[in-house]
Amino acid sequence: MVLLRKLPGMPGWPAALGLRLPQKFLFLLFLSGLLTLCFGALFLLPDSSRFKRLFLPRRAAAASSSASASSASSSSSTGDTELPRSPPAAAEPRHASSAAPRRLRDRLRGAARPAAPPAHTAPGSRPQVRGAEPASTAPAAARDTQAPSRFDYERFQQSLRHPPRGRRPPEDPETQARRMKVKEMMKFAWDNYKQYALGKNELRPLTKNGHIGNMFGGLRGATVVDALDTLYIMELEEEFQEAKKWVEKSFDLNVNGEASLFEVNIRYIGGLLAAYYLTGEEVFKSKALELGEKLLPAFNTPTGIPRGVINLGSGMSWSWGWASAGSSILAEFGTLHLEFLHLSELSGNPVFAEKVMNIRKVLNKVEKPQGLYPNFLSPVTGNWVQHHVSIGGLGDSFYEYLIKSWLMSDKKDSEAKRMYDDALEAIEKHLVKKSAGGLTYIAEWRGGILDHKMGHLACFSGGMIALGAEHAGEEKKQHYMDLAAEITNTCHESYARSDTKLGPEAFRFDTGSEAMATRLSERYYILRPEVVESYMYMWRLTHDPKYRQWGWEAVKALEEHCRVEAGFSGIRDVYSTTPTHDNMQQSFFLAETLKYLYLLFCEDDVLALDDWVFNTEAHPLPINHTNFKAKAGVQ
Ligand code: DMJ
């Protein structure tokens, strides 16, 4: 108004309209009211985030839209130097409204459909944590920023066949006591981490301080994020709230360091996704989506096969120095599928699903020696770099994610199933062997020559083969169940034959040794989960009590040799009755080892296998009973 009156040759509006003083006053009042109304309306309009970016300082606007992957990408293209550095993947179609076909978007808007009646009503079927707020009851402003995805959390909850924490504790008192013992171990591990290392990545239980390491590119709190779902499932409510509070207040994603794409995905993205699906707390979803965006530049290679290392700040990525000829690792680029489909599901942005579907395309194109998948692939040419095959380290979770992709798609992703079946057949033909003492093991393959060694990591395969056996053709079912049982038995032997009753990092079947480490450098145990993971699956799928017994042996050994004054520590030699400690409480001990042990002593409806698949860090991700939109990518 002031400006208008001063413009040369232009009288002020009221004067121009020939108004007197009281009328002028009334007119001004009316005009200022009108202006206030218009300004307010901009913020109330359905798609107001665009206007918010105009009016709010850039940083605040970016924060308000970080809940949606697509809006995050648009704010990163502003060129504002105060914003987190934008990944150079901006050319990707990220926004659901522009890139996703209408059909997909419509399916995302599940709200229009009538909600199915709840499949269960027992306590635990709804978020039980204080302050939990399902997505559909989030404040209007928060809903605005998530408009592209509109993931219907309540509908998802209703699709579950069992409450995630089950309906009742085990009836038999011994099993119940064992379950409570594992819960106590988890509380002990968490309490000590909280006291001495909260915000660091791991606890050093001997020196009572934190460890940061260089695997997570400056991200902190690996133990917090890895522990969230275990705390929730074990009903450690207070501890869960402590962990959640840390994520809300202190989990900073604006970091600038070199991260392992694989580790960030399985621990952080997997942990956050699981925490979101279990509780409906928006903070977990928005952090997972924001972090997922930061991983995308790793896929900018000639083939789309991601490189192993990424700087989360600059988006630059490269291959591990130790990986031959700049290659990418099978178990790393092959262990993204489950999490990335969920990122697309929750964000409404198909880009994540597209990235992992492309990996599959490349793998299907390249020739497999004897039907096997070597561990090193060039992200430039899409060819194998070395013919080393292993179901342990470097290969392991690639196979795991094939069968789990099929299960997670509610058995619709037949391509994944076919790839798994073919891979397992080749593994059985070329790598599965029987020792002189009758133990079945899976050897490693180096250009056609067998290395008769099995790593602790390879012991997850008992559980995986059992999980797949359930769904194999009639003629193969029993055969695969037997194979799974034999491998799990061999892994148990590697524990039983040590002085601590804990297994070594690798054990061999050559030079007269059977299921024992022969090299000093392979005698350590770092609280790994794979053996008890297989016990858990074998128990669930056979109900043979020996698996619970073996799990209990592991609990006792952990208590005796790994529990120290301020937490749990790995040990350097499983064959020593007085082992020295490595002073490290790994985050996967809380995410996996203790979770699988706990589930071993639960009823089958706790994180039931017909509702959930576990990612390779034991974070539960839901099976797509309600027709996840990302499945379109699969088709
Ligand atoms: C975990 O981080 C995951 O299970 C991964 O797949 C392999 N190794 C560790 C635990 O041993």
Side-chain angles (χ1 to χ4, degrees):
M1 289 297 296
V2 175
L3 258 181
L4 274 176
R5 262 201 239 135
K6 285 187 177 164
L7 284 177
M10 186 185 273
W13 282 6
L17 292 171
L19 298 177
R20 282 211 292 269
L21 203 62
Q23 288 165 318
K24 275 185 193 168
F25 176 71
L26 273 178
F27 178 81
L28 282 175
L29 205 66
F30 167 72
L31 212 60
S32 64
L34 196 69
L35 270 175
T36 317
L37 248 176
C38 292
F39 192 78
L42 289 180
F43 283 84
L44 294 171
L45 284 173
D47 185 11
S48 60
S49 50
R50 223 173 308 146
F51 298 110
K52 279 177 198 155
R53 276 198 292 278
L54 283 176
F55 292 109
L56 296 177
R58 291 245 165 93
R59 190 185 281 277
S64 91
S65 57
S66 66
S68 110
S70 48
S71 50
S73 72
S74 53
S75 60
S76 70
S77 64
T78 59
D80 188 327
T81 48
E82 286 208 354
L83 283 173
R85 273 192 258 172
S86 63
E92 296 296 341
R94 285 178 177 181
H95 202 292
S97 61
S98 63
R102 174 182 292 275
R103 172 166 51 84
L104 288 189
R105 296 202 310 271
D106 290 346
R107 255 193 273 160
L108 278 169
R109 302 199 177 104
R113 269 178 252 178
H120 51 78
T121 50
S125 61
R126 306 254 157 186
Q128 297 293 302
V129 268
R130 278 185 299 279
E133 187 176 40
S136 57
T137 59
R143 275 206 308 272
D144 266 352
T145 59
Q146 289 145 21
S149 112
R150 286 270 189 92
F151 178 78
D152 189 338
Y153 185 76
E154 274 188 5
R155 186 160 164 266
F156 150 69
Q157 267 196 318
Q158 287 161 353
S159 77
L160 292 175
R161 292 168 183 171
H162 316 270
R165 295 193 280 202
R167 285 197 167 81
R168 57 186 181 279
E171 268 155 32
D172 115 66
E174 184 182 67
T175 308
Q176 170 65 353
R178 290 176 175 184
R179 174 167 119 139
M180 295 318 282
K181 175 66 204 167
V182 179
K183 180 172 172 175
E184 183 278 327
M185 292 164 79
M186 178 70 187
K187 183 166 164 49
F188 182 69
W190 170 260
D191 285 347
N192 280 290
Y193 167 76
K194 187 185 70 178
Q195 183 172 354
Y196 299 113
L198 184 64
K200 302 289 191 308
N201 284 325
E202 295 94 3
L203 164 70
R204 287 187 174 279
L206 298 187
T207 43
K208 299 186 181 171
N209 59 349
H211 172 257
I212 291 175
N214 52 9
M215 239 171 13
F216 307 117
L219 291 174
R220 299 282 190 270
T223 294
V224 180
V225 179
D226 249 357
L228 278 165
D229 53 13
T230 311
L231 294 171
Y232 179 80
I233 284 300
M234 292 184 179
E235 300 179 54
L236 286 163
E237 303 289 353
E238 209 178 292
E239 292 76 7
F240 174 81
Q241 290 302 333
E242 291 161 359
K244 187 186 123 193
K245 194 165 143 213
W246 186 87
V247 172
E248 282 170 340
K249 302 251 158 22
S250 313
F251 186 32
D252 183 8
L253 300 185
N254 293 322
V255 293
N256 197 354
E258 300 159 18
S260 155
L261 171 72
F262 164 80
E263 296 290 356
V264 170
N265 178 57
I266 67 168
R267 301 195 200 205
Y268 285 92
I269 305 251
L272 291 164
L273 288 173
Y276 171 67
Y277 282 116
L278 289 171
T279 67
E281 299 273 5
E282 290 294 313
V283 62
F284 301 132
K285 180 174 90 174
S286 59
K287 295 277 185 195
L289 296 181
E290 200 180 330
L291 191 50
E293 282 270 327
K294 287 176 186 283
L295 299 183
L296 289 175
F299 293 80
N300 291 342
T301 64
T303 56
I305 295 287
R307 298 189 195 276
V309 189
I310 176 159
N311 182 309
L312 296 174
S314 68
M316 280 188 37
S317 69
W318 56 95
S319 305
W320 292 108
W322 49 263
S324 44
S327 54
S328 297
I329 311 299
L330 182 69
E332 297 199 331
F333 64 76
T335 308
L336 303 164
H337 205 98
L338 305 180
E339 296 82 359
F340 273 48
L341 285 201
H342 278 288
L343 290 177
S344 276
E345 172 67 15
L346 292 180
S347 66
N349 187 344
V351 69
F352 302 102
E354 285 163 8
K355 297 291 182 201
V356 289
M357 289 314 295
N358 177 62
I359 294 177
R360 209 187 261 180
K361 217 189 304 163
V362 175
L363 283 175
N364 275 326
K365 222 160 52 185
V366 61
E367 202 191 321
K368 267 74 70 190
Q370 320 273 8
L372 296 165
Y373 289 82
N375 293 334
F376 300 93
L377 187 89
S378 161
V380 176
T381 64
N383 291 322
W384 305 116
V385 172
Q386 241 190 43
H387 282 189
H388 173 219
V389 178
S390 155
I391 200 158
L394 306 179
D396 49 7
S397 40
F398 160 69
Y399 306 98
E400 176 186 355
Y401 271 36
L402 289 178
I403 187 67
K404 289 182 176 176
S405 292
W406 180 70
L407 289 169
M408 199 180 84
S409 72
D410 213 9
K411 303 177 194 165
K412 306 271 189 324
D413 182 0
S414 48
E415 185 181 55
K417 178 71 160 54
R418 179 188 52 73
M419 289 169 77
Y420 171 79
D421 287 344
D422 293 351
L424 185 58
E425 207 176 304
I427 285 168
E428 198 180 355
K429 188 159 166 206
H430 300 288
L431 309 184
V432 173
K433 298 283 154 200
K434 205 161 236 167
S435 71
L439 295 178
T440 303
Y441 62 96
I442 309 184
E444 299 192 1
W445 193 83
R446 294 172 197 278
I449 296 171
L450 284 185
D451 186 0
H452 297 270
K453 147 195 173 195
M454 205 168 153
H456 193 290
L457 289 168
C459 283
F460 84 98
S461 60
M464 177 189 73
I465 294 170
L467 197 58
E470 270 234 292
H471 310 282
E474 268 322 304
E475 70 301 345
K476 289 265 175 100
K477 214 177 236 171
Q478 194 51 50
H479 170 73
Y480 281 140
M481 254 348 260
D482 293 345
L483 179 60
E486 285 171 29
I487 289 168
T488 308
N489 178 61
T490 300
C491 292
H492 172 252
E493 283 301 313
S494 78
Y495 276 47
R497 293 173 191 210
S498 79
D499 297 85
T500 54
K501 305 299 168 208
L502 292 165
E505 180 67 4
F507 44 95
R508 293 181 181 263
F509 299 87
D510 49 17
T511 55
S513 88
E514 293 251 340
M516 288 186 69
T518 54
R519 302 176 185 183
L520 270 180
S521 60
E522 292 170 345
R523 290 168 157 233
Y524 62 89
Y525 170 70
I526 55 168
L527 306 174
R528 284 199 193 278
E530 293 76 16
V531 175
V532 298
E533 174 181 350
S534 282
Y535 296 166
M536 192 282 292
Y537 283 108
M538 292 307 294
W539 162 254
R540 286 259 171 121
L541 298 168
T542 66
H543 287 145
D544 183 334
K546 79 177 172 207
Y547 297 113
R548 277 187 164 168
Q549 200 44 46
W550 291 354
W552 186 242
E553 286 168 14
V555 167
K556 286 192 293 184
L558 284 166
E559 282 286 283
E560 190 179 340
H561 300 291
C562 300
R563 188 168 178 141
V564 294
E565 194 192 319
F568 287 88
S569 166
I571 54 176
R572 294 190 202 280
D573 184 357
V574 295
Y575 302 109
S576 157
T577 42
T578 50
T580 53
H581 294 101
D582 68 7
N583 195 20
M584 183 69 78
Q585 179 176 282
Q586 303 281 351
S587 76
F588 53 69
F589 181 64
L590 292 85
E592 299 189 75
T593 313
L594 292 177
K595 187 187 284 128
Y596 286 132
L597 283 168
Y598 182 79
L599 293 176
L600 184 61
F601 301 117
C602 283
E603 293 294 299
D604 293 354
D605 62 353
V606 182
L607 293 179
L609 296 182
D610 56 354
D611 274 333
W612 305 89
V613 293
F614 293 95
N615 88 340
T616 195
E617 189 79 0
H619 296 305
L621 300 173
I623 289 175
N624 181 4
H625 294 314
T626 47
N627 197 17
F628 291 171
K629 130 208 129 321
K631 208 169 48 188
V634 169
Q635 286 155 355

